[in-house]
């Protein structure tokens, strides 16, 4: 069990990992989706580094409370999000649940609008 939740898929993304993920990306003023926002580490990093708007999804109700005021939650379940809901997104940045990482990454590419950059961690 970890500090925030009993969710076995909850692995907060460390700042140094986010720095590496976002190296060279120009997010200034961009609209970004974080599909599995967890406690908000990626959301906070994006906002602190100039993102215009950050929207997110998070299934875990305890973690949703931690995201209050940090971003707009558009859905509990990223896999139910449609391309219409993210039509203005410039980036999708995520650390998906390791148990469903492949599904989340494929779904991100399926719904991403033309020109959207998808950046994701994934388990080996």
């Amino acid at each position: 069990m970890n500090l925030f939740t009993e969710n076995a898929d909850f692995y907060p993304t460390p700042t140094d990992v986010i720095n590496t993920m976002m190296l060279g990306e120009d997010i200034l003023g961009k609209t970004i989706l974080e599909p599995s926002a967890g406690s908000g580490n990626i959301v906070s990093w994006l906002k602190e580094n100039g993102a215009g708007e950050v929207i997110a999804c998070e299934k875990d109700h305890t973690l949703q409370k931690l995201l209050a005021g940090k971003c707009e939650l558009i859905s509990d379940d990223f896999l139910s999000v449609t391309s219409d809901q993210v039509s203005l997104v410039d980036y999708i940045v995520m650390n998906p649940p390791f148990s469903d990482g492949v599904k989340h990454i494929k779904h991100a590419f399926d719904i991403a609008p033309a020109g959207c950059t998808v950046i994701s961690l994934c388990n080996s």
Side-chain angles (χ1 to χ4, degrees):
M1 185 169 95
N2 58 58
L3 180 63
F4 298 113
T5 179
E6 294 182 22
N7 182 343
D9 275 326
F10 176 61
Y11 296 96
T13 313
T15 300
D16 60 325
V17 172
I18 304 169
N19 288 336
T20 301
M21 291 171 67
M22 300 307 295
L23 189 64
E25 297 298 330
D26 178 15
I27 63 165
L28 192 61
K30 306 290 183 175
T31 300
I32 304 175
L33 169 65
E34 212 293 33
S36 304
S39 60
N41 289 11
I42 292 174
V43 170
S44 294
W45 189 99
L46 294 168
K47 292 180 78 173
E48 291 166 7
N49 287 277
E53 180 181 6
V54 180
I55 59 176
C57 303
E58 178 52 53
K59 273 188 166 185
D60 187 292
H61 295 292
T62 301
L63 296 173
Q64 286 176 1
K65 292 175 188 172
L66 295 175
L67 295 167
K70 289 185 179 184
C71 61
E72 176 190 353
L73 289 176
I74 63 166
S75 178
D76 287 353
D77 182 8
F78 171 61
L79 296 176
S80 71
V81 172
T82 65
S83 57
D84 291 341
Q85 290 175 279
V86 297
S87 63
L88 299 177
V89 167
D90 300 297
Y91 280 85
I92 299 174
V93 179
M94 62 184 178
N95 179 1
F98 290 169
S99 66
D100 273 338
V102 172
K103 283 183 191 176
H104 282 247
I105 293 168
K106 285 183 176 182
H107 187 65
F109 279 102
D110 287 344
I111 66 169
C116 178
T117 300
V118 176
I119 299 172
S120 179
L121 292 179
C122 61
N123 60 344
S124 61

